Amino acid sequence: MTKSQKKVLKKMTKYLTEKDSDIDKTTTQCEDNVGQTDSDTTDAKQRTETGEDVARQQNQSSSGEPSSKKSVKPGIGADPAKPPCRKSKHLKQEKFAKGISSFEPGKPKNAERTLEGLLHHVQPDQDPVHKFEVKLVRSSPRSEDFEATFEESAKLFTKYQIAIHKDPIEECDKLQFTRFLVDSPLEEEHRDDGPSHGYGSFHQQYWIDGKIIAVGVIDILPNCVSSVYLYYDPDFGFLSPGTYSALQEIAFTRSLHRVAPDLVYYYMGFYIHSCPKMRYKGNYTPSFLLCPEVYTWIPIEKCRPKLDASKYSRFDDTDRADEAADINQVMILHRHQALPYMLFKMMQPIHNQDQVLEYVKLVGNHCAVVIGNH
């Protein structure tokens, strides 16, 4: 995790547990602090400190105290008569070796440094100021819990789209909400070796004090959790719900992996390097981008320089080429079942083969064959 991501989790803990927390609630950013990095956080901190210094000087001047500007002389360096400065970590290691400290090298100070630890906001002996819950409800087919919260969830979607994306109300009403984020082609599926709630499409609802303040739309598949969309109450934008929900979904994916070992990936969707609102996805590590020519996964650190130079780039540096595909082996989704094109032609003699060829061209020969088998 980056420093800025840890700050988001600690900010949530502070809001939930401290009655008079000094969290700035005036800042609501579209897409939740997108593109923010550790350097952005450092710059902001320096600006704050500079502002405090200016205010302090102004207060001294207004109180009648003289404010003289002193010229700062250049330093002469470290005192050669004194021992050189050493890192705190090395000093602790020495103390541990001498039995002075209980510090153990290589051992985390406490479990709170892990993602799961930081997400555990309220300790058993604490009385929280705000009640916080995360609920997973199946959205397709609609579960009873989803139906019970449909109206509230749809209103939140409308509020978010109007406030953040400036959509007209007719483009974000209940009908559009249902078509966009509720209706799903995925079938509900349960397996003996899978999670108890099964696979399919879900809404992960974030509740504070009995009110839905954000909803993450996700698909849970046998080998991954796919993040589809997030919408939230703009009034709670100060909690950075975009970053927070992504970290929650990563932790959720890890918890599912412990139950279903084949479920190992978290997909954040398209990464658009030239769009600041999308580049934040690269802040979660390790991250990989799919090469658009040979369909191999490449670490994002190797992709960024190429995308800086050109909006389109091949990421794979090898001589590998996309494998030629037998069109008869291309997988076709027909009546919720994946079939090889050879069988599909027998079942549907009248069809448009050009559409199949266009599909193969778009997704690549290799993906066109294997995509229906996962």
Side-chain angles (χ1 to χ4, degrees), residues 138 188-192 195-199:
R138 182 178 290 277
E188 178 180 1
E189 182 180 352
H190 293 268
R191 297 181 182 179
D192 293 338
S196 59
H197 46 66
Y199 302 104

Side-chain angles (χ1 to χ4, degrees), residues 4 14 40 73 111 118 134 158 165 178 180 214 217 223 229 241 244 257 275 291 325-326 336 372:
S4 59
K14 189 173 185 179
D40 297 329
K73 296 181 180 180
L118 289 171
V134 181
T158 301
H165 296 292
T178 302
F180 181 34
V217 182
N223 66 346
Y229 199 69
Y244 182 83
H257 171 67
C275 177
C291 177
D326 178 1
H336 304 288

Side-chain angles (χ1 to χ4, degrees), residues 256-275:
L256 294 179
H257 171 67
R258 290 191 285 270
V259 178
D262 290 339
L263 202 160
V264 294
Y265 299 112
Y266 173 62
Y267 286 99
M268 299 190 75
F270 288 108
Y271 173 82
I272 304 175
H273 190 70
S274 59
C275 177

Side-chain angles (χ1 to χ4, degrees), residues 68-89:
S68 59
K69 294 184 179 179
K70 296 182 180 180
S71 58
V72 180
K73 296 181 180 180
I76 58 174
D79 187 347
K82 295 182 179 180
C85 295
R86 302 175 62 192
K87 289 186 176 181
S88 175
K89 179 177 70 173

